[in-house]
């Protein structure tokens, strides 16, 4: 019963819109299904690392250490701004994508997905609050591993589903026809999210 409660919270957490969704969508629309899935899988790996750190107490330390939390927040915000400006740059000069070979590398998709989760200290706070409801003093290592895997797999499956849905031929054709507007919106959203991260 506790596991189903954890599963439900993880599903709702994964589905909440934010910079992670924007990154996976951008990779899917700009570069294709495989890029979106790779970005989602890399994001899930970062989420899994935060979950492990929290279970072992490191995430709680970060969430209670203002300096560490602030540093990660600023690094994450800087990365969001960098991605936002890149999106706006492409919207202003779409020929740049063609010159670059039409697609980014798979490594670029993996890096984007991983960094957007690893540079998000709010995940430490989220997991500290979440796991405090499920972690007990006499809990086995196997149970903790199941909890961490649940978090990572749910996250990865959600973003894989997003990539699959938004890479359907008819929808993808429409999205790419409006790529300039999408890139502009993505850039504004990412920079706006960065501002929200650094503001109290």
């Amino acid at each position: 019963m506790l596991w189903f409660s954890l599963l439900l919270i993880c599903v709702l957490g994964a589905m909440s819109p934010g910079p992670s969704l924007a990154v996976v969508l951008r990779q899917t629309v700009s570069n294709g299904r495989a890029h979106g899935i790779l970005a989602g899988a890399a994001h899930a790996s970062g989420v899994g690392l935060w979950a492990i750190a929290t279970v072992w107490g490191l995430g709680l330390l970060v969430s209670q250490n203002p300096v560490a939390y602030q540093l990660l927040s600023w690094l994450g915000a800087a990365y969001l701004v960098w991605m936002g400006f890149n999106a706006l740059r492409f919207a202003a000069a779409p020929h740049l994508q063609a010159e670059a070979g039409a697609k980014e590398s798979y490594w670029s998709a993996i890096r984007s997905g991983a960094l957007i989760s690893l540079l998000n200290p709010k995940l430490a706070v989220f997991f500290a609050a979440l796991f405090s409801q499920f972690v007990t003093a006499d809990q086995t290592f196997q149970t903790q591993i199941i909890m961490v895997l649940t978090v990572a797999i749910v996250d990865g499956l959600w973003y894989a589903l997003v990539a699959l849905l938004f890479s359907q031929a008819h929808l993808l054709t429409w999205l790419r026809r409006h790529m300039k507007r999408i890139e502009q919106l993505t850039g504004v959203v990412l920079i706006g999210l960065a501002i929200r991260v650094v503001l109290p």
Side-chain angles (χ1 to χ4, degrees):
M1 188 64 182
L2 281 177
W3 181 80
F4 284 107
S5 299
L6 175 66
L7 178 65
L8 178 60
I9 295 171
C10 290
V11 170
L12 294 175
M15 292 175 65
S16 61
S20 303
L21 180 62
V23 167
V24 174
L25 283 176
R26 183 179 185 278
Q27 285 294 332
T28 301
V29 176
S30 299
N31 302 302
R33 178 181 299 173
H35 284 73
I37 291 175
L38 284 173
H43 183 275
S45 299
V47 166
L49 287 175
W50 271 118
I52 291 171
T54 305
V55 168
W56 290 348
L58 297 179
L60 187 61
L61 177 64
V62 170
S63 69
Q64 293 181 347
N65 186 321
V67 175
Y69 183 87
Q70 192 65 39
L71 178 61
L72 275 175
S73 293
W74 280 94
L75 286 173
Y79 186 65
L80 287 175
V81 169
W82 180 76
M83 288 193 302
F85 275 121
N86 275 348
L88 292 175
R89 176 171 167 262
F90 172 79
H95 64 277
L96 291 174
Q97 186 178 13
E99 291 175 359
K103 284 189 177 182
E104 297 175 10
S105 66
Y106 287 133
W107 167 245
S108 177
I110 293 171
R111 182 185 60 201
S112 296
L115 288 179
I116 206 65
S117 58
L118 291 174
L119 295 178
N120 184 4
K122 290 184 179 180
L123 285 175
V125 177
F126 172 76
F127 287 130
L130 174 62
F131 287 155
S132 66
Q133 310 300 313
F134 299 97
V135 175
T136 61
D138 59 346
Q139 197 168 57
T140 65
F141 178 73
Q142 181 181 8
T143 301
Q144 292 179 346
I145 290 298
I146 290 173
M147 291 169 58
V148 169
L149 287 176
T150 298
V151 168
I153 291 173
V154 166
D155 189 84
L157 287 176
W158 166 248
Y159 286 117
L161 179 62
V162 168
L164 289 171
L165 288 175
F166 281 86
S167 61
Q168 297 300 313
H170 61 286
L171 180 57
L172 195 57
T173 299
W174 184 88
L175 290 170
R176 284 180 172 163
R177 196 162 57 240
H178 298 83
M179 180 64 72
K180 180 176 180 178
R181 298 288 186 190
I182 291 170
E183 289 287 356
Q184 288 173 335
L185 179 61
T186 300
V188 170
V189 167
L190 289 173
I191 293 172
L193 287 168
I195 293 172
R196 194 181 72 172
V197 165
V198 298
L199 290 179

